[in-house]
Amino acid sequence: MLGSGLGQLADAIESPTLIPYAGIPEFPQPGVSGHSGDLVLGHLGGTQVAALKGRCHLYEGWSLEESLIPVRTLLELGIELLILSNASGGINPRFHSGLVVAIDSHIDWLFQTRKSPNPDPSTGSILMRSHRTYDSMWLARAQETALEMGFCLPTGTYLATLGPNYETRAEYRAFGRMGADMVGMSTVPEALLAMQHGVRVLAFSVVTNVANADVPSQTHHAEVLEWSANARARLQPLVTKIASKYFR
Ligand code: HPA
């Protein structure tokens, strides 16, 4: 699942078959720039992959269930590993724009789990929580592979908000005190859904702007797209190497 400005990661896919979301029954159509809306099937590092170029966010008005149709489709196609990616605002002061971080936990500030029209009868929720959502083995493998490639892959806690606004300085400060390292508007429902289906999750967050709660500044979508393009130079070879190293 390729997040904001990360769709071009799919350019590395060999012998691609591109299917526009518009041609797939029931698929939601992303409305935000930086999300083209194509399913790309092909090979990466010698293994079969399916890439979702474009994500539908809850702030666009999609229901939780609608927003999950693309990932649900991949799960039904029988994927072994779900690799999620997103762009995020950095809260951890050690982070910088362009940094790729592996998500190892999250804070769910989406408050959606009980709104589903189609809840799990045993729990009343389609998305149960788990402390094992982000698979520790795949996280360690990704870190090891990044080191082999010459860069460090830090881990962090991702806080998901409904958006679409970026945060006020007071919100960035509050989220930092809550324990968040990054903040964004996606990923958590997709990770929970995969976990419930027994599919392991590896999630990357690209920090596109770093919050400084003490200095007035504004985040712009263009800046987010620019820094996610910059991070692609590390994320694309990293994902390719993971595919070739662990699936061949
Ligand atoms: N906040 C929320 N989502 C984001 C941000 C941010 O600062 N940057 C990129 N996605």
Side-chain angles (χ1 to χ4, degrees):
M1 166 56 90
L2 305 172
S4 288
L6 295 167
Q8 283 171 18
L9 284 171
D11 293 351
I13 295 177
E14 292 152 30
S15 35
T17 301
L18 198 139
I19 308 171
Y21 288 3
I24 311 175
E26 293 181 32
F27 253 53
Q29 190 66 35
V32 184
S33 74
H35 293 266
S36 72
D38 295 301
L39 169 63
V40 186
L41 305 171
H43 287 85
L44 189 69
T47 195
Q48 279 188 300
V49 293
L52 292 164
K53 250 178 120 167
R55 170 184 269 135
C56 289
H57 301 83
L58 296 173
Y59 63 74
E60 293 169 61
W62 304 103
S63 69
L64 181 64
E65 269 305 321
E66 285 166 337
S67 74
L68 286 170
I69 287 170
V71 167
R72 204 181 274 287
T73 303
L74 294 194
L75 296 171
E76 283 170 16
L77 285 174
I79 56 167
E80 288 172 49
L81 173 69
L82 176 65
I83 303 181
L84 297 169
S85 64
N86 64 44
S88 64
I91 293 179
N92 185 325
R94 292 173 188 230
F95 289 178
H96 57 83
S97 295
L99 185 71
V100 180
V101 181
I103 299 176
D104 69 352
S105 191
H106 70 230
I107 298 172
D108 186 352
W109 212 247
L110 294 170
F111 309 113
Q112 295 292 304
T113 51
R114 298 204 168 267
K115 276 196 184 169
S116 167
N118 183 23
D120 179 324
S122 62
T123 61
S125 163
I126 56 157
L127 299 175
M128 288 179 297
R129 273 156 206 283
S130 167
H131 56 279
R132 302 177 122 202
T133 309
Y134 305 95
D135 188 78
S136 53
M137 181 187 73
W138 280 103
L139 204 148
R141 285 176 167 180
Q143 285 186 310
E144 189 183 296
T145 308
L147 276 184
E148 282 165 19
M149 298 175 76
F151 65 95
C152 185
L153 179 66
T155 61
T157 295
Y158 175 84
L159 185 148
T161 69
L162 277 172
N165 299 315
Y166 296 122
E167 287 62 35
T168 63
R169 283 192 285 151
E171 286 166 337
Y172 283 126
R173 189 184 291 119
F175 291 162
R177 287 188 183 155
M178 284 165 64
D181 295 300
M182 301 84 79
V183 56
M185 306 172 196
S186 65
T187 304
V188 166
E190 298 158 356
L192 290 174
L193 184 70
M195 181 271 300
Q196 283 186 356
H197 282 249
V199 170
R200 292 170 193 253
V201 175
L202 175 60
F204 296 110
S205 192
V206 170
V207 175
T208 56
N209 51 286
V210 179
N212 182 343
D214 298 321
V215 179
S217 67
Q218 224 184 333
T219 303
H220 298 282
H221 190 54
E223 177 189 3
V224 168
L225 296 184
E226 191 184 312
W227 280 108
S228 50
N230 169 292
R232 207 187 301 139
R234 287 172 300 288
L235 200 48
Q236 193 174 60
L238 176 62
V239 172
T240 306
K241 186 137 186 219
I242 289 170
S244 67
K245 208 168 140 187
Y246 297 105
F247 284 98
R248 283 244 268 212

